[in-house]
């Protein structure tokens, strides 16, 4: 863990505890050894902060290449151990980098939803296969994490829980009867189901069908834009 990461970890820990009424649940579930993949739901750009603050090892994240071109955010992301993904040209390089980090004995965080989806219940979405592919190719376990709020979005002064789920060791991710994409999907779905189970352990006022359709349309528009950039 580099010194800057450690400084941010300490500083932001107090700030988040106050500003976001952050509470850590099931701390004992965190593995004592690395490497492993942290798999979390994603509703806000600040989802990375509690993952940095409340897990012991340094956790690496993918960040779109545009982040590294900004004067302040770029150096900050680099100092925090983030690495670039080029959405316009595909993400093969980023996947190779992720595998390299894990094989070096470190941790990465992957958001299986693929993009931020504020207010939507995670079960309204599907997990991408990427986390399953990386877990299968590296042979590491997965730590499901749920960033749980009443509105499915991290917001100032609203109670936020950082729930650490039961660790999924490599032997639980083998699925010997499956191959290729089917295996990757089974691994991703298993981890994602654990996140959804933790997220559902809270009473919420359900969104209206109109609101859900609007949020889904906005998410689809965002994904289509990203797809066009890759071409």
């Amino acid at each position: 863990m580099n010194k800057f990461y450690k400084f941010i970890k300490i500083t932001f820990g107090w700030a988040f505890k106050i500003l976001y009424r952050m509470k850590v649940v099931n701390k004992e579930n965190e593995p004592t050894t690395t490497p492993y993949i942290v798999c979390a739901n994603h509703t806000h750009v600040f989802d990375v902060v509690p993952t940095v603050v409340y897990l012991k090892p340094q956790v690496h994240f993918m960040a779109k290449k545009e982040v590294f071109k900004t004067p302040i955010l770029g150096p900050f992301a680099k100092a925090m151990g983030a690495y670039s993904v080029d959405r316009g040209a595909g993400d093969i390089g980023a996947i190779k980098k992720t595998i390299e980090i894990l094989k070096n004995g470190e941790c990465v965080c992957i958001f299986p939803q693929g993009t931020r989806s504020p207010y939507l219940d995670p079960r309204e979405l599907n997990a991408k296969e990427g986390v399953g592919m990386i877990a299968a190719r590296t042979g590491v376990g997965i730590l499901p994490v749920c960033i749980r709020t009443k509105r499915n979005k991290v917001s100032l002064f609203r109670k936020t829980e950082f729930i650490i789920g039961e660790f999924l060791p490599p032997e639980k991710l083998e699925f010997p009867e499956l191959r290729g994409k089917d295996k990757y999907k089974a691994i991703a779905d298993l981890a994602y189901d654990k996140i959804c189970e933790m997220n559902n352990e809270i009473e919420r006022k359900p969104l209206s069908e109109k609101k859900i359709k609007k949020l889904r349309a906005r998410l689809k528009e965002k994904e289509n834009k990203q797809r066009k950039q890759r071409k």
Side-chain angles (χ1 to χ4, degrees):
M1 183 183 300
N2 65 50
K3 291 181 179 179
F4 183 74
Y5 188 98
K6 191 172 183 179
F7 169 76
I8 294 297
K9 191 179 181 73
I10 295 169
T11 306
F12 275 66
W14 287 104
F16 249 64
K17 193 170 184 178
I18 296 170
L19 297 176
Y20 293 91
R21 298 175 60 198
M22 186 70 68
K23 179 183 178 183
V24 183
V25 182
N26 298 336
K27 183 70 175 173
E28 68 278 4
N29 284 342
E30 184 178 2
T32 56
T33 58
T34 58
Y36 56 85
I37 300 169
V38 181
C39 196
N41 55 317
H42 198 21
T43 66
H44 196 284
V45 67
F46 281 166
D47 290 341
V48 301
V49 179
T51 308
V52 166
V53 169
Y54 298 114
L55 294 179
K56 291 178 182 178
Q58 179 166 351
V59 181
H60 298 267
F61 298 85
M62 289 184 191
K64 58 183 182 180
K65 66 176 185 178
E66 289 80 8
V67 168
F68 295 90
K69 296 178 181 180
T70 57
I72 298 175
L73 193 55
F76 177 84
K78 190 174 181 179
M80 289 294 291
Y83 54 103
S84 175
V85 55
D86 187 348
R87 290 178 176 176
D91 57 2
I92 295 175
I95 290 173
K96 287 182 179 179
K97 179 65 176 178
T98 304
I99 292 172
E100 179 186 336
I101 290 170
L102 290 167
K103 287 187 174 180
N104 285 339
E106 299 181 79
C107 293
V108 298
C109 178
I110 296 175
F111 299 109
Q113 293 167 220
T115 189
R116 294 192 300 275
S117 53
Y119 305 114
L120 276 173
D121 187 306
R123 287 200 183 276
E124 295 285 339
L125 306 162
N126 295 315
K128 308 295 183 184
E129 297 169 3
V131 63
M133 179 184 65
I134 291 168
R137 291 190 178 183
T138 57
V140 304
I142 295 176
L143 181 65
V145 166
C146 179
I147 303 170
R148 189 170 72 183
T149 66
K150 197 167 184 179
R151 300 170 66 214
N152 281 313
K153 184 181 186 294
V154 175
S155 302
L156 279 170
F157 307 117
R158 291 182 178 272
K159 183 180 178 182
T160 304
E161 292 178 303
F162 185 79
I163 308 173
I164 302 174
E166 182 183 350
F167 181 64
L168 300 172
E171 54 268 25
K172 282 193 175 183
L173 307 176
E174 288 180 354
F175 294 99
E177 72 282 8
L178 300 176
R179 294 288 184 276
K181 289 186 177 181
D182 290 336
K183 181 173 183 175
Y184 303 157
K185 187 178 187 305
I187 295 172
D189 285 347
L190 175 61
Y192 195 60
D193 283 347
K194 297 294 183 182
I195 295 169
C196 291
E197 286 171 13
M198 290 185 280
N199 188 64
N200 285 348
E201 293 172 5
I202 187 173
E203 290 187 8
R204 296 182 178 87
K205 182 180 178 181
L207 295 175
S208 66
E209 286 297 324
K210 184 178 180 180
K211 181 70 172 177
I212 291 174
K213 286 181 180 180
K214 185 176 180 181
L215 291 169
R216 278 182 165 276
R218 188 181 300 169
L219 185 62
K220 188 174 182 179
E221 183 181 350
K222 185 177 179 181
E223 289 178 340
N224 286 339
K225 185 177 179 181
Q226 291 174 356
R227 198 174 292 114
K228 287 179 182 178
Q229 289 176 340
R230 294 189 187 106
K231 293 180 179 179

